[in-house]
């Protein structure tokens, strides 16, 4: 069992920059919680394309909006999520998020189990580093290694993009 006591104060925790619009700070990772919980603070600038609709086959994901408004997509429905909104996403349910609004938005992303989930975000940061634009194959390969699978809703989801 690998559960470590830890205090993470504001502005602390390993963080990654994903493209030019998204910053993620790891507050709790699977290696510290016996893979039971991952907790990430996810900050998106105005216009951040976020994550297009996808599913996870082996993990639950949840979102809690701290400030700003995030457009969330859940099971074919998109809606504005204001501060205080909590969304629980069971395994195999399509979901995504973005910030098409004019203000910065921050939300908590929770994963359980959380085995190596931070490595997916590190991989995204690497793929988008220095202004790079990864290929679709590079993104799909990264996703498949971390239990993330793209879905299409009615063929396309207009306006949904990638980091």
């Amino acid at each position: 069992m690998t559960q470590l006591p830890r205090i993470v104060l504001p502005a602390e925790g390993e963080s990654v920059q994903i493209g030019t619009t998204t910053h993620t700070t790891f507050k709790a990772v699977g290696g510290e919680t016996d893979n039971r919980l991952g907790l990430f603070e996810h900050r998106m600038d105005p216009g951040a394309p976020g994550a297009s609709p996808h599913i996870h086959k082996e993990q639950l994901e949840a979102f809690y909006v701290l400030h700003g408004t995030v457009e969330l997509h859940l099971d074919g429905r998109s809606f504005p999520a204001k501060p205080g909104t909590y969304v629980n996403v069971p395994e195999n349910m399509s979901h995504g998020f973005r910030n098409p609004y004019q203000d910065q938005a921050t939300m908590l992303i929770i994963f359980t189990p959380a085995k190596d989930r931070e490595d997916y975000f590190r991989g995204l940061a690497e793929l988008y580093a220095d202004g790079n634009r990864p290929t679709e194959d590079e993104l799909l390969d990264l996703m498949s290694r971390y239990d993330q699978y793209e879905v299409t809703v009615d063929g396309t989801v207009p306006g949904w993009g990638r980091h």
Side-chain angles (χ1 to χ4, degrees):
M1 186 177 292
T2 312
Q3 295 180 40
L4 304 174
R6 185 166 184 220
I7 297 171
V8 182
L9 298 173
E12 291 185 345
E14 177 191 349
S15 63
V16 295
Q17 180 70 35
I18 303 169
T20 59
T21 62
T22 305
H23 187 90
T24 303
T25 302
F26 309 133
K27 296 296 188 174
V29 296
E32 301 163 346
T33 66
D34 203 24
N35 294 323
R36 295 179 184 184
L37 173 74
L39 178 64
F40 302 168
E41 184 179 276
H42 194 74
R43 188 179 73 230
M44 295 179 290
D45 290 342
S52 57
H54 60 277
I55 65 165
H56 303 290
K57 295 179 180 180
E58 299 177 4
Q59 65 186 346
L60 175 146
E61 185 171 7
F63 305 100
Y64 184 82
V65 179
L66 295 171
H67 80 274
T69 302
V70 176
E71 184 173 0
L72 289 171
H73 176 84
L74 182 66
D75 199 26
R77 176 178 169 237
S78 296
F79 58 95
K82 297 186 180 301
T85 300
Y86 170 78
V87 176
N88 188 67
V89 184
E91 296 171 352
N92 296 304
M93 182 169 285
S94 70
H95 62 286
F97 55 84
R98 66 180 181 159
N99 181 8
Y101 306 105
Q102 294 182 14
D103 295 318
Q104 187 178 77
T106 304
M107 65 180 175
L108 297 176
I109 304 176
I110 302 138
F111 298 99
T112 184
K115 186 173 190 283
D116 302 322
R117 190 61 188 162
E118 65 278 5
D119 288 340
Y120 172 73
F121 287 80
R122 288 180 186 129
L124 277 178
E126 288 176 20
L127 286 175
Y128 283 95
D130 301 320
N132 290 333
R133 297 294 300 168
T135 67
E136 187 72 6
D137 286 343
E138 289 173 318
L139 287 167
L140 293 174
D141 176 62
L142 177 68
M143 290 176 195
S144 70
R145 286 185 274 141
Y146 297 103
D147 188 38
Q148 184 159 324
Y149 306 91
E150 288 284 285
V151 297
T152 57
V153 179
D154 299 323
T156 62
V157 181
W160 288 82
R162 302 197 191 275
H163 295 280

